[in-house]
Amino acid sequence: MPAPRIDLAERVLTAVLGVRRVVRRRVRAELPGPHLPGSQVELLRVVHRNPGIGVAAAARELSLAGNSVSTLVNVLTEAGLLRREVDPADRRAARLQLTDAARDRMAAWRRTRIGLVSAALTQLSEEDTSAIVAALPALERLTEVLKEATT
């Protein structure tokens, strides 16, 4: 791999992770309630996007071992954020659903995150904002390529 690609990869990671880290810290500071680790939040997001998803499918989506996701499910169920429902097609399998508390919490996270980033975007030049907009399709494709590489 040529050096410019390594430099580009490092800059992309630094920029994306930097945005996520700052937003995560600001959201934690602004929203009440206990902090959830990133892995728990990611599982809640997967269930939000895929109501009724099973543990094995969620594990594949997160690129985690099934027992790791089972542990996350147990913790989130005990916290009142996830609910297990029996799969009518296979009574041994569980289907995951968000609780109302999880939906409310995720809506608050989303509003706060979007508000923070929207406010920051208004402070950028039109040129910077246009560059970010232009880069989004490529970043989304990069995400898909990275996902495919792990499956």
Side-chain angles (χ1 to χ4, degrees), residues 106-149:
M106 291 182 75
W109 285 333
R110 185 173 190 274
R111 278 191 308 275
T112 304
R113 286 179 20 239
I114 288 173
L116 290 169
V117 175
S118 294
L121 286 168
T122 65
Q123 296 178 41
L124 297 180
S125 68
E126 202 169 306
E127 181 181 281
D128 283 345
T129 303
S130 294
I132 291 169
V133 169
L136 288 175
L139 287 170
E140 291 162 351
R141 286 190 298 275
L142 177 61
T143 300
E144 291 306 312
V145 167
L146 289 166
K147 277 185 187 177
E148 290 170 10

Side-chain angles (χ1 to χ4, degrees), residues 17-132:
L17 293 174
V19 169
R20 283 184 53 108
R21 185 174 28 260
V22 170
V23 169
R24 185 175 54 244
R25 286 182 185 149
R26 297 264 318 268
V27 167
R28 281 184 195 157
E30 292 188 27
L31 290 179
H35 155 71
L36 294 180
S39 57
Q40 292 178 14
V41 173
E42 290 302 317
L43 177 57
L44 291 174
R45 286 187 181 136
V46 166
V47 175
H48 177 74
R49 286 191 309 270
N50 306 282
I53 192 169
V55 173
R60 283 190 301 277
E61 179 81 15
L62 293 167
S63 300
L64 293 173
N67 62 342
S68 296
V69 174
S70 290
T71 300
L72 293 172
V73 168
N74 291 337
V75 170
L76 290 168
T77 300
E78 289 174 23
L81 298 172
L82 267 186
R83 189 175 63 248
R84 286 186 189 97
E85 295 179 351
V86 175
D87 183 343
D90 179 358
R91 304 218 23 100
R92 297 169 297 166
R95 296 287 162 218
L96 304 175
Q97 299 289 342
L98 296 178
T99 63
D100 289 341
R103 275 193 274 294
D104 292 347
R105 189 168 183 168
M106 291 182 75
W109 285 333
R110 185 173 190 274
R111 278 191 308 275
T112 304
R113 286 179 20 239
I114 288 173
L116 290 169
V117 175
S118 294
L121 286 168
T122 65
Q123 296 178 41
L124 297 180
S125 68
E126 202 169 306
E127 181 181 281
D128 283 345
T129 303
S130 294
I132 291 169

Side-chain angles (χ1 to χ4, degrees), residues 2-14:
R5 291 284 181 185
I6 292 171
D7 293 343
L8 176 59
E10 184 65 32
R11 287 186 69 194
V12 167
L13 288 170
T14 299

